[in-house]
């Protein structure tokens, strides 16, 4: 019976009922819940609604108001539009392509040969997290490579890159001069582009280019209801604001002994933060200024709670906006596994993994904040830290799946502050227990809820318009 008050209190503060999405929650409603510890995460049956046979037709990669590149298709027979960006990463293409931060973008690989070690299975680890992917689906809108390996060889591989792209409904192009593409993007900046399969290029189609910056992409990749991942090695509990969280971020927290409960990006986290030992803001796609609700909730959180906070990538930018700083759009962004970042507090340089098109304008930071890291290639901001509180953010990815692990110690730094906060709260609240109740853990989903796989930008724009119309109708009612 001692557990009952905490269960009632937990459900009262809104982990489940407060989410205004009854349809999503109905999946987890039951008459008599069976309480189990460490409920296994179930691998869902992947949807193949968007699947097509592999297309080997003529393919055209067109940059708006720029050059046209003719190549050969090796993915889905689908025409799409998006923002063309490039990565200089030599390995890790399964992780990159499943990173939600690439939603709405056409990813150009500078590595000449891609696909030689195939695509691994969707196997999961002991915590139920994907071993080889950063999300359940391919997130990029399209793929462009100089040469694709149709024959692959690796002990984890179960299919080719082309087969995977076709299954996921994502078009892919090979046989184009990626050096010329990258040179153009470096000179002109990230540009809108299209992939057209089996059709001749028509200049009149230029008006069909869709700008992903018009869309709140975070709303497309964030969970629609809370989900929970338990850790069997520790007793801290962190609330994660899911803006498109990568699996390895969750693994980095859970593997260090912290259970995590992930919330939708626009959840009023300041109302429930006192039930947790820390708050974490994840990576995600697109322009951070679209997430005004998240910024407001973070500002209220910092005003009302001393809880430790850490942000990565988009989470770092949202943290800066909440503090009062501004963000800027970079010319062509930073996407690689070998970018040097200087730690301003120690003078040490770390090789980092990055994937972002926006950055924090460090000159706009309030007086109680300071720069934490600086990019040694372009001098852009790579991190901020509060001068007196356990709050910091990094633009790069310390978890670096597919990249270096130089900065993974930052998770240890964060969780040390989480442990200190938990111990401090125990002095004033001896009966405080931040661990989720077994019943609540059983009721919550074990992976992100209601996230729709990637589609072409035209479909995303239509989905966004439909969502806005539905929201307007709900407000009017």
């Amino acid at each position: 019976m001692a557990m009952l008050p905490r269960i009632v209190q937990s459900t009262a503060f809104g982990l489940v009922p407060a989410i205004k999405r009854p349809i999503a929650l109905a999946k987890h409603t039951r008459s008599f819940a069976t309480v189990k510890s460490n409920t296994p995460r179930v691998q869902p049956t992947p949807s193949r609604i968007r699947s097509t046979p592999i297309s080997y037709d003529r393919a055209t990669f067109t940059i708006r108001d720029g050059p046209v590149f003719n190549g050969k298709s090796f993915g889905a027979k689908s025409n799409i539009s998006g923002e063309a960006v490039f990565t200089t990463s030599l390995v890790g293409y399964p992780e990159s392509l499943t990173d939600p931060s690439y939603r709405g973008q056409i990813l150009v690989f500078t590595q000449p040969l891609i696909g030689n070690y195939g695509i691994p299975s969707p196997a999961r680890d002991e915590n139920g997290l994907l071993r080889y992917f950063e999300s359940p689906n391919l997130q990029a809108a399209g793929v462009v490579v100089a040469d694709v390996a149709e024959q692959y060889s690796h002990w984890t591989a179960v299919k080719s890159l082309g087969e995977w792209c076709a299954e996921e409904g994502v078009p892919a192009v090979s046989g184009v001069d990626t050096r010329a593409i990258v040179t153009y993007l470096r000179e002109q900046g990230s540009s809108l582009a299209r992939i057209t399969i089996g059709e001749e290029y028509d200049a009149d189609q230029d008006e069909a280019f869709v700008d992903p910056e018009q869309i709140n992409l975070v709303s497309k990749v964030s969970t629609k209801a809370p989900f929970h991942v338990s850790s069997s090695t520790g007793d801290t509990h962190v609330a994660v604001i899911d803006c498109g969280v990568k699996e390895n971020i969750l693994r980095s927290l859970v593997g260090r002994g912290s259970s995590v409960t992930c919330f939708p990006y626009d959840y009023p986290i300041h109302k429930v933060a006192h039930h947790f030992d820390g708050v974490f803001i994840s990576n995600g796609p697109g322009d951070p200024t679209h997430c005004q609700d998240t910024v407001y909730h973070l500002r209220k959180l910092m005003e009302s709670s001393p809880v430790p906070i850490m942000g990565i990538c988009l989470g770092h930018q949202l943290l800066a906006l909440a503090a009062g700083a501004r963000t800027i759009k970079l010319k062509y962004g930073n996407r690689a596994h070998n970018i040097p970042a200087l730690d301003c507090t120690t003078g040490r340089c770390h090789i980092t993994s990055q994937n972002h098109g926006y950055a924090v304008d460090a000159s706009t930071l309030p007086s109680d904040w300071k720069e934490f890291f600086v990019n040694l290639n372009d001098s852009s901001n790579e991190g901020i830290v509060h001068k007196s509180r356990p709050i910091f953010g990094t633009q790069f990815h310390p978890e670096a799946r597919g990249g270096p692990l130089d900065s993974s110690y930052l998770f240890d730094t964060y969780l040390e502050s989480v442990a200190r906060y938990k111990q401090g709260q125990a002095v004033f609240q001896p009966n405080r227990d931040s661990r989720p109740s077994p019943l609540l853990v059983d009721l919550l989903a074990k992976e992100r809820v209601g996230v729709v796989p990637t589609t072409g930008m035209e479909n995303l724009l239509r989905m966004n318009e439909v969502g806005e119309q539905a929201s307007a109708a709900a407000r009017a009612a």
Side-chain angles (χ1 to χ4, degrees):
M1 294 302 292
M3 181 178 64
L4 184 57
R6 184 156 58 89
I7 294 174
V8 174
Q9 184 183 30
S10 296
T11 56
F13 70 64
L15 284 179
V16 177
I19 299 298
K20 299 177 181 178
R21 297 173 176 85
I23 295 178
L25 291 177
K27 297 178 181 178
H28 306 290
T29 302
R30 61 199 75 182
S31 300
F32 299 97
T34 301
V35 180
K36 296 181 179 180
S37 60
N38 296 326
T39 307
R41 290 156 60 89
V42 179
Q43 167 70 12
T45 302
S47 170
R48 297 302 182 206
I49 297 176
R50 302 169 299 118
S51 301
T52 73
I54 298 181
S55 170
Y56 297 104
D57 294 339
R58 170 194 174 98
T60 304
F61 175 68
T62 307
I63 299 177
R64 186 176 188 179
D65 299 324
V68 179
F69 298 87
N70 295 315
K72 178 182 177 182
S73 167
F74 68 92
K77 188 176 179 62
S78 174
N79 299 336
I80 58 93
S81 171
E83 180 187 22
V85 300
F86 66 90
T87 176
T88 61
S89 302
L90 301 182
V91 295
Y93 57 85
E95 293 90 344
S96 293
L97 291 172
T98 53
D99 182 350
S101 296
Y102 279 117
R103 176 64 74 99
Q105 296 179 326
I106 300 174
L107 187 55
V108 180
F109 288 89
T110 62
Q111 169 72 356
L113 179 65
I114 295 292
N116 55 309
Y117 58 90
I119 299 298
S121 71
R124 293 183 178 254
D125 62 17
E126 64 277 7
N127 296 309
L129 296 166
L130 292 163
R131 288 185 182 275
Y132 310 115
F133 299 137
E134 295 294 1
S135 71
N137 295 100
L138 202 160
Q139 298 288 344
V143 180
V144 178
V145 303
D147 188 17
V148 63
E150 297 181 2
Q151 305 263 344
Y152 60 87
S153 177
H154 196 269
W155 68 272
T156 63
V158 295
K159 65 185 70 172
S160 69
L161 177 59
E163 291 171 333
W164 186 44
C165 288
E167 289 178 359
E168 292 286 328
V170 174
V173 181
S174 67
V176 296
D177 187 351
T178 52
R179 297 169 300 177
I181 295 173
V182 171
T183 299
Y184 180 87
L185 294 178
R186 285 182 61 90
E187 294 174 351
Q188 301 299 321
S190 298
S191 307
L192 300 183
R194 288 182 62 87
I195 292 179
T196 306
I197 307 299
E199 298 176 10
E200 295 288 342
Y201 169 70
D202 184 352
D204 293 335
Q205 290 291 320
D206 275 359
E207 62 185 22
F209 287 91
V210 178
D211 187 354
E213 291 187 6
Q214 300 175 13
I215 302 169
N216 182 359
L217 294 172
V218 173
S219 67
K220 310 302 178 187
V221 298
S222 175
T223 184
K224 304 305 181 285
F227 67 95
H228 181 83
V229 185
S230 295
S231 173
S232 59
T233 60
D235 61 353
T236 56
H237 189 194
V238 169
V240 175
I241 300 176
D242 175 21
C243 299
V245 65
K246 295 168 64 175
E247 293 279 295
N248 205 42
I249 287 179
L250 298 180
R251 183 180 292 106
S252 297
L253 294 170
V254 174
R256 288 172 168 81
S258 181
S259 297
V260 298
T261 298
C262 299
F263 292 87
Y265 79 101
D266 56 355
Y267 191 87
I269 197 66
H270 59 286
K271 295 183 178 180
V272 300
H274 58 286
H275 293 280
F276 295 89
D277 304 313
V279 172
F280 189 99
I281 319 154
S282 84
N283 63 292
D287 187 344
T289 60
H290 280 303
C291 303
Q292 290 301 316
D293 287 344
T294 311
V295 172
Y296 172 77
H297 297 150
L298 288 174
R299 185 178 298 122
K300 298 294 289 184
L301 173 66
M302 289 190 287
E303 292 173 354
S304 61
S305 173
V307 67
I309 304 173
M310 177 179 176
I312 286 180
C313 198
L314 179 71
H316 156 73
Q317 297 164 11
L318 295 174
L319 187 62
L321 290 173
R326 293 196 299 268
T327 55
I328 56 175
K329 170 79 170 175
L330 298 176
K331 184 176 181 180
Y332 49 81
N334 290 312
R335 298 173 181 88
H337 290 167
N338 60 346
I339 298 178
L342 177 68
D343 184 339
C344 299
T345 63
T346 65
R348 294 180 177 179
C349 176
H350 303 286
I351 302 302
T352 65
S353 174
Q354 300 190 21
N355 171 21
H356 63 100
Y358 291 82
V360 173
D361 183 353
S363 66
T364 64
L365 285 171
S367 59
D368 50 352
W369 292 78
K370 64 180 181 180
E371 274 198 293
F372 195 178
F373 290 90
V374 175
N375 189 310
L376 290 179
N377 285 343
D378 61 13
S379 299
S380 62
N381 176 262
E382 291 291 347
I384 60 173
V385 61
H386 197 278
K387 292 180 178 179
S388 60
R389 297 174 59 184
I391 306 174
F392 70 93
T394 65
Q395 185 62 72
F396 54 84
H397 288 266
E399 83 287 351
R401 197 57 181 260
L405 298 174
D406 292 31
S407 56
S408 61
Y409 71 91
L410 290 170
F411 282 100
D412 299 316
T413 301
Y414 169 66
L415 290 175
E416 286 169 4
S417 66
V418 167
R420 285 194 298 269
Y421 173 77
K422 181 181 179 69
Q423 293 170 1
Q425 291 297 301
V427 173
F428 301 103
Q429 304 176 55
N431 296 323
R432 179 181 183 270
D433 190 353
S434 61
R435 295 173 300 175
S437 71
L439 177 58
L440 191 61
V441 170
D442 192 51
L443 288 172
L444 288 177
K446 302 301 180 288
E447 57 192 339
R448 64 200 86 202
V449 178
V451 178
V452 179
T454 187
T455 56
M457 290 309 302
E458 293 87 346
N459 292 336
L460 274 176
L461 187 59
R462 284 195 291 270
M463 290 166 57
N464 198 54
E465 292 172 349
V466 170
E468 291 176 353
Q469 292 170 1
S471 297
R475 288 193 296 269

